[in-house]
Amino acid sequence: MLNRIIFIPIFACLGLLTGCFGYPRLVSYPFDPGGRSINSLASELNPQISGRYIVFTSDRRGSQDVYMFDTLTRSLIELPGLNSLDTIASHPSVSENGRYTVFAASRQGRSAIFLYDRETRQSRSLTTNLQAEVRNPTISADGSRIAFESSNNGHWDILVYNRSGQPLNIPQDPR
């Protein structure tokens, strides 16, 4: 009798967990040794998901670059104009519609936050005028705001910029 009492609640809980919105669920993507899918023989780092898109960095082509995977078509998306041989990319983040990708990059020993626009195929630095080390960017779902860490005067602060690269005035005391 005791086994039946324990079994029923566990079974009911599992039904609730998997019945609501389909979560949790296991999603499996194919392994491709040729590097044409999300999983390859290389190191895939810093995955971030927004909407149907997953962005991550990988060294599958010999340099650490940003990649985008479309979960609906189950394929990599070409990002012309984004990756550069002289840049080490890290910590990408993507807007919900997949148009904008923000990422940290180190070029010639200097770190910067870059914004890539898939529509124009252009990548540009948002932090050119900022004389500080930067890291860990993230972009809002609508692609209008970018938050990242900046080290100035020996401590890390969070800065928020708009897509044009202008700092937004965020109140220090939000009361």
Side-chain angles (χ1 to χ4, degrees), residues 5 7-8 10 22 29 37 56 75 86 90 100 121 139 164 171:
I5 293 170
F7 179 72
I8 293 171
I10 289 173
Y29 293 107
S37 186
F56 60 97
S75 62
D86 66 342
S90 67
Y100 299 104
R121 299 179 173 195
I139 193 164
S164 300

Side-chain angles (χ1 to χ4, degrees), residues 107-171:
R107 181 182 286 159
Q108 299 174 344
R110 177 142 161 55
S111 63
I113 303 298
F114 287 87
L115 177 71
Y116 175 75
D117 182 342
R118 270 184 51 213
E119 189 172 289
T120 65
R121 299 179 173 195
Q122 298 291 315
S123 182
R124 63 182 175 84
S125 174
L126 297 176
T127 56
T128 303
N129 297 325
L130 188 61
Q131 298 300 313
E133 189 174 341
V134 292
R135 66 182 185 188
N136 300 325
T138 187
I139 193 164
S140 61
D142 67 359
S144 66
R145 295 174 312 276
I146 296 97
F148 58 93
E149 296 176 55
S150 173
S151 175
N152 196 7
N153 299 322
H155 66 279
W156 289 95
D157 292 319
I158 296 174
L159 300 180
V160 181
Y161 278 30
N162 64 21
R163 195 172 47 237
S164 300
Q166 301 300 312
L168 296 177
N169 188 12
I170 307 295

